[in-house]
């Protein structure tokens, strides 16, 4: 179990706590969830609309990739060149086969997440259904800690705002895109004056991000959100997987005080 691995790395002697998942991927679309997609499977840039390709280019530009001169009707080749630049910049010299595999993996990750974000933020009905399902799990389980990964951090943020009666002692966001400008503009409640608000029922908020995580842009959320602890680390090429975040001792250290 990945969390048990993280507990061992953090030199914590307690048993790893049980996790209850608030599953909602079926409410967004029928594609396999990100964590179940292999590097060789899933959708690619070919499956995006022109508008979605522009969003992908803006996302990559936010990650530090040089922005193309012309974003409108951006083609597939420039997008893949941007991904390639990012891999070179963040991994240095690696073998050609590993580089190509990493580029393909990043492309599929970005496409899958972009489609999820688009569906969640543009469909008010699905957005409400997702939040109600997550709220139902929190209400039933009454956890002291909520761990939210990737788009789940956006869902948790909005759900806890929409249901201020839900009290959570510790919110842990992992690989969160909350600070991405193109996403921040769509949040409910909206960011005002450049600052987001802490959900009323949250006592403490820890954000953890791999410095190379394409999704967690920027990796530190405290510039926009009232995060109590903003932590970055470098996990090499496995920079966004939920398992990798759970296996990192930092996540265990954030959870442990609330589950012992």
């Amino acid at each position: 179990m990945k969390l048990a691995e993280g507990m061992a790395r953090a030199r914590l002697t307690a048993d790893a706590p049980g996790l209850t998942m608030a599953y909602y991927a079926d409410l967004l679309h029928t594609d396999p969830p990100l964590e179940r997609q292999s590097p060789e499977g899933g959708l690619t840039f070919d499956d995006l609309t022109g508008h979605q390709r522009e969003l992908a280019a803006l996302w990559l530009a936010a990650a530090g990739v040089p922005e193309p001169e012309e974003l409108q009707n951006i083609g597939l080749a420039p997008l893949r060149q941007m991904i390639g630049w990012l891999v070179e910049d963040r991994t240095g010299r690696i073998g050609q086969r590993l580089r190509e595999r990493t580029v393909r993996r990043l492309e599929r990750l970005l496409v899958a997440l972009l489609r999820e974000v688009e569906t969640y933020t543009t469909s008010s009905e699905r957005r409400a259904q997702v939040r109600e399902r997550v709220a139902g799990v929190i209400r039933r389980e009454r956890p002291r800690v909520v761990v939210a990964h990737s788009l789940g951090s956006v869902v948790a943020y909005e759900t806890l705002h929409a249901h201020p009666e839900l009290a959570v002692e510790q919110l842990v966001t992992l690989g969160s895109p909350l600070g991405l400008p193109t996403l921040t503009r769509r949040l409910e409640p909206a960011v005002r004056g450049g600052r987001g608000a802490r959900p009323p029922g949250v006592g403490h908020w820890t954000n953890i991000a791999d410095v190379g995580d394409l999704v967690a842009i920027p990796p530190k959320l405290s510039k926009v959100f009232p995060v109590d602890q903003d932590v970055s680390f470098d996990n090499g090429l496995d920079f966004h997987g939920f398992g990798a975040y759970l296996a990192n001792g930092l996540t265990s250290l954030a959870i442990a005080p609330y589950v012992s």
Side-chain angles (χ1 to χ4, degrees):
M1 185 179 182
K2 293 295 184 180
L3 187 54
E5 186 179 331
M7 297 282 283
R9 287 181 175 176
R11 298 183 179 180
L12 297 171
T13 57
D15 294 334
L19 298 177
T20 299
M21 179 177 292
Y23 184 79
Y24 57 81
D26 58 307
L27 298 176
L28 296 180
H29 50 68
T30 57
D31 298 335
L34 291 181
E35 65 271 15
R36 286 167 46 195
Q37 291 183 15
S38 72
E40 306 305 327
L43 303 176
T44 69
F45 288 141
D46 302 82
D47 300 294
L48 296 180
T49 65
H51 173 64
Q52 288 173 336
R53 291 177 190 174
E54 291 177 25
L55 290 176
L58 288 171
W59 196 309
L60 289 167
V65 179
E67 187 174 327
E69 293 183 5
E70 183 61 53
L71 276 179
Q72 189 173 7
N73 299 320
I74 188 169
L76 301 175
L79 279 176
R80 290 184 173 123
Q81 289 169 2
M82 293 175 78
I83 288 276
W85 186 96
L86 186 67
V87 171
E88 291 290 342
D89 180 65
R90 296 193 174 180
T91 63
R93 287 182 171 272
I94 58 175
Q96 181 66 21
R97 179 175 295 182
L98 179 57
R99 179 185 181 279
E100 292 175 357
R101 181 180 174 85
T102 303
V103 168
R104 289 196 299 270
R105 177 171 173 260
L106 277 178
E107 178 178 342
R108 284 159 173 76
L109 170 66
L110 180 59
V111 169
L113 184 65
L114 184 63
R115 284 166 58 91
E116 284 188 343
V117 168
E118 281 290 284
T119 302
Y120 178 75
T121 57
T122 59
S123 172
S124 58
E125 180 180 359
R126 294 193 184 194
R127 193 175 201 162
Q129 290 175 343
V130 168
R131 296 197 304 210
E132 285 305 313
R133 181 178 291 182
V134 173
V137 173
I138 296 175
R139 190 176 295 113
R140 182 184 71 244
E141 299 294 329
R142 300 179 65 182
R144 296 178 65 190
V145 181
V146 167
V147 179
H149 173 250
S150 194
L151 177 61
S153 64
V154 178
V155 173
Y157 177 83
E158 293 193 347
T159 298
L160 292 169
H161 268 293
H163 295 273
E165 77 280 3
L166 298 177
V168 175
E169 293 181 48
Q170 168 78 306
L171 172 63
V172 181
T173 48
L174 307 173
S176 174
L178 269 168
L180 185 71
T182 56
L183 182 55
T184 300
R185 291 195 293 266
R186 307 183 189 185
L187 289 176
E188 296 179 357
V191 171
R192 301 189 182 281
R195 295 292 297 175
R198 182 198 298 268
V202 172
H204 191 274
W205 183 351
T206 298
N207 178 63
I208 302 174
D210 188 309
V211 293
D213 193 336
L214 176 63
V215 177
I217 302 171
K220 291 187 178 295
L221 295 180
S222 52
K223 289 184 179 181
V224 178
F225 300 92
V227 172
D228 298 291
Q229 191 171 14
D230 228 341
V231 184
S232 298
F233 71 100
D234 188 349
N235 204 42
L237 292 179
D238 192 2
F239 34 68
H240 185 66
F242 186 41
Y245 274 105
L246 288 181
N248 189 284
L250 294 171
T251 303
S252 295
L253 288 172
I255 294 174
Y258 302 91
V259 296
S260 57

